[in-house]
Amino acid sequence: MLRIRGTVGDLPVDLTVEMDESDWARLGSHLGIQVQDPVPQGDISAKPAASRNDAIWDIAQELLRKAGQMTGPDLLGQLEGLSGSTAAGKRLMVRMRHSASVKVESQGDTPVYHWIE
């Protein structure tokens, strides 16, 4: 599920979009990342397919990587829309904070998330 909140002009918008694995793969391809395809049922030697949460995590990382850096409130807003809820967005932020590819620095009251390679 993907939740989009914001405004169109003066009108508030709160839109929820149901997405299946193929929809996530198409979204990932538009962002320039590849979401793993499901593993065929008969192939037990292959590793398990990425779950929806892994697909969201991949897209969240790509979002910060392409931006280079984002303030905490801006990143949370993007992650809320991506994950569909404030709680899930906050969980993604905590996961990013502990990622080796992300550096968080404090600028006054606002943390700034930087993508590092």
Side-chain angles (χ1 to χ4, degrees), residues 68-87:
Q69 70 178 32
M70 293 179 84
T71 65
D74 290 339
L75 181 59
L76 179 58
Q78 294 289 322
L79 296 177
E80 284 176 350
L82 178 64
S83 64
S85 73
T86 301

Side-chain angles (χ1 to χ4, degrees), residues 34-75:
Q34 183 176 4
V35 178
Q36 292 180 349
D37 293 328
V39 175
Q41 294 293 341
D43 187 2
I44 59 171
S45 64
K47 74 179 200 178
S51 71
R52 178 178 172 273
N53 289 336
D54 288 340
I56 291 173
W57 173 241
D58 291 341
I59 294 169
Q61 289 182 98
E62 186 66 15
L63 182 114
L64 183 59
R65 186 189 70 76
K66 285 191 175 189
Q69 70 178 32
M70 293 179 84
T71 65
D74 290 339
L75 181 59

Side-chain angles (χ1 to χ4, degrees), residues 1 7 10 19 28 42 50 59 66 70 74 78 114-115:
M1 180 172 31
T7 59
D10 293 333
M19 297 176 67
I59 294 169
K66 285 191 175 189
M70 293 179 84
D74 290 339
Q78 294 289 322
H114 298 270
W115 184 263

